Amino acid sequence: EADIAAARAEGYAQGHADGEKEAAARTDGEIAATLQNLAASAASLLSALEAKTAGLEAEAVNLAHETAKRLAAASIAARPETEIEAVLRECLSHLNREPHILLRVAPSMVDRLKETVDRMAMERGMSGRIILLGEPGMAEGNCTVEWADGGVTRDYDAMLARIDTTVARYIETIAPAPAEPNALEMPEPDAPDNTPRSTPHGDAPGA
């Protein structure tokens, strides 16, 4: 009977140890699966947030662009001669030796600019050498400055078109990729494992 009791005790101990090992292995597997799910959730969330951030940046660029266009248009409408004066002043900074300079503007701008152009010519020692002409069809705020071997044109619409193209290309580089459905949602947890746990083998001592 002593041998039987000893055998039973040894069997119980071995079964208990095997059960603990199996339970520990199962727990480690569940922890690994949970960590994998969390990593997948974090990656999905990060990707979705990056897409939303890019979308917000594109919206901000668009808003700034549209605001700048409106402000520029309002500024030109209020004082169209300002832009023309700036163009002419820049040209005169390196054209003071030209025999004649031709400034083409909208017909409605000729009288408004005559005094300013005469003053600028006098300041540069070019009195009588700047010819101011009205150009039919030219918009207020636009102008063309011509000299013997060159010229420059200030065209607001053309400039705006170039800016629009540049902004559109930039937005294309930051535009977010289509978001995956429910990209911000956490993945569903794995279904609970209802497999019966291992029980110790053998009868408890004294059974």
Side-chain angles (χ1 to χ4, degrees):
E1 291 183 3
D3 291 340
I4 294 174
R8 285 182 175 179
E10 183 179 352
Y12 176 82
Q14 183 63 45
H16 185 71
D18 290 345
E20 286 185 341
K21 288 181 180 179
E22 186 176 345
R26 188 183 300 275
T27 299
D28 289 344
E30 291 174 350
I31 292 174
T34 299
L35 291 176
Q36 186 174 1
N37 285 341
L38 288 174
S41 299
S44 178
L45 180 61
L46 181 60
S47 177
L49 288 176
E50 287 176 347
K52 285 186 174 293
T53 300
L56 290 174
E57 183 179 354
E59 290 179 8
V61 171
N62 265 324
L63 178 59
H65 181 214
E66 291 300 321
T67 301
K69 285 166 62 175
R70 291 175 181 270
L71 290 174
S75 175
I76 292 173
R79 286 187 54 82
E81 64 273 15
T82 301
E83 297 295 328
I84 298 172
E85 291 171 14
V87 172
L88 180 60
R89 183 174 293 105
E90 176 65 22
C91 290
L92 292 180
S93 66
H94 59 275
L95 293 175
N96 58 332
R97 294 187 178 181
E98 290 292 325
H100 292 93
I101 293 176
L102 181 62
L103 174 61
R104 300 181 185 274
V105 298
S108 59
M109 297 299 300
V110 172
D111 290 339
R112 295 167 64 175
L113 284 167
K114 189 177 185 309
E115 182 178 346
T116 299
V117 170
D118 288 344
R119 185 187 73 251
M120 293 172 70
M122 184 179 299
E123 291 172 353
R124 293 285 177 175
M126 300 179 65
S127 298
R129 292 159 56 190
I130 300 178
I131 303 170
L132 180 61
L133 291 178
E135 182 72 16
M138 183 174 284
E140 292 188 353
N142 292 346
C143 68
T144 296
V145 181
E146 300 173 354
W147 54 94
D149 57 355
V152 63
T153 296
R154 199 269 184 194
D155 186 327
Y156 175 74
D157 290 337
M159 179 179 64
L160 195 60
R162 290 194 297 271
I163 294 174
D164 287 344
T165 299
T166 301
V167 171
R169 287 175 179 170
Y170 174 71
I171 289 176
E172 286 178 1
T173 67
I174 62 173
E180 297 180 1
N182 302 321
L184 290 174
E185 292 184 3
M186 297 287 283
E188 292 293 331
D190 293 338
D193 187 355
N194 295 321
T195 304
R197 303 290 184 184
S198 297
T199 56
H201 300 291
D203 297 331

